[in-house]
């Protein structure tokens, strides 16, 4: 398999608010990421999952995939963002065992209408790599920017945990540890009442 166009130190698969320090050191995750080449992957194979309190939701617009490449040649540089479509279905296969009695998992993926644009980005990256024009200045990031609540939370200190899938119908592996929800909203302390109710969240 061709090597990814970016250097590993610049591969940023990020937690809420790009909190890189929270990324897991799980050996399987590191192995899967070392094998992952997003520019030869099928767009519908790339998936993200968020585990949190069952009364918290991520909605379409809350999870974003960013793909960027710096280059001295402006025709080869790009910085593209993809809003991931959130699926409210049951927990993906192998994540069911990760759930506590008050947890649930929401999955997100590149929306069908965005997959052709993602393929265009993949082709740009492959051309840049073939011309040795990247110099390791690529970025792939996944961020979760907000959540809303549908009812009272089961914990006074709720958390989120992020997972990723890189193979169609494959298992999800952890990208992060348990991250305090206060970090998603950028606050040192956060009460449940400060989390917006889902009915109050406007479509993006």
């Amino acid at each position: 398999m061709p090597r990814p166009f970016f250097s590993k130190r610049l591969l940023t698969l990020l937690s809420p608010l790009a909190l890189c320090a929270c990324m897991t050191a799980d050996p399987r995750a590191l192995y899967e990421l070392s094998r992952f080449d997003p520019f030869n992957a099928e767009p519908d194979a790339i998936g993200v999952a968020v585990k949190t309190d069952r009364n918290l939701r991520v909605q379409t617009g809350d999870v974003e995939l960013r793909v960027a490449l710096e280059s001295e040649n402006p025709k080869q540089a790009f910085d593209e963002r993809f809003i991931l479509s959130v699926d409210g279905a049951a927990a993906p296969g192998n994540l069911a065992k990760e759930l506590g009695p008050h947890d649930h998992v929401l999955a997100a993926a590149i929306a069908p209408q965005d997959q052709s644009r993602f393929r265009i980005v993949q082709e740009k990256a492959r051309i840049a790599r073939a011309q040795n024009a990247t110099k390791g200045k690529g970025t792939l990031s996944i961020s979760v920017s907000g959540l809303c609540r549908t009812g009272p939370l089961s914990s006074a200190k709720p958390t989120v945990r992020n997972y990723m899938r890189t193979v169609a119908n494959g298992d999800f592996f952890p990208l992060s540890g348990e991250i305090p929800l206060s970090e998603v909203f950028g606050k040192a302390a956060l009460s449940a009442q400060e989390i917006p109710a889902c009915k109050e969240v406007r479509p993006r």
Side-chain angles (χ1 to χ4, degrees), residues 46-178:
I46 301 171
V48 180
V50 179
K51 183 189 78 169
T52 190
D53 187 285
R54 65 185 178 188
N55 283 331
L56 287 172
R57 297 284 187 276
V58 286
Q59 301 178 314
T60 297
D62 291 336
V63 187
E64 182 182 82
L65 170 68
R66 177 185 174 224
V67 185
L69 173 65
E70 296 179 38
S71 175
E72 294 177 358
N73 183 345
K75 292 183 179 179
Q76 292 175 321
F78 57 81
D79 190 340
E80 298 283 346
R81 297 170 189 266
F82 300 85
I83 300 299
L84 302 191
S85 177
V86 176
D87 181 2
N94 68 306
L95 295 188
K97 64 180 182 295
E98 300 270 340
L99 301 183
H102 302 290
D103 296 333
H104 72 159
V105 168
L106 294 169
I110 299 172
Q113 63 268 27
D114 261 354
Q115 290 185 11
S116 59
R117 182 163 64 94
F118 189 80
R119 291 183 190 280
I120 291 171
V121 170
Q122 287 179 306
E123 180 62 19
K124 286 182 178 179
R126 287 194 291 265
I127 291 171
R129 178 166 56 192
Q131 295 177 355
N132 197 30
T134 63
K135 298 182 179 179
K137 296 180 180 179
T139 299
L140 170 71
S141 66
I142 296 168
S143 59
V144 180
S145 59
L147 299 96
C148 61
R149 58 183 170 85
T150 60
L153 306 187
S154 61
S155 171
K157 296 182 179 180
T159 62
V160 295
R161 190 176 193 189
N162 298 334
Y163 301 81
M164 188 177 187
R165 181 190 70 197
T166 59
V167 178
N169 301 316
D171 287 344
F172 283 80
F173 54 86
L175 278 181
S176 73
E178 299 286 347

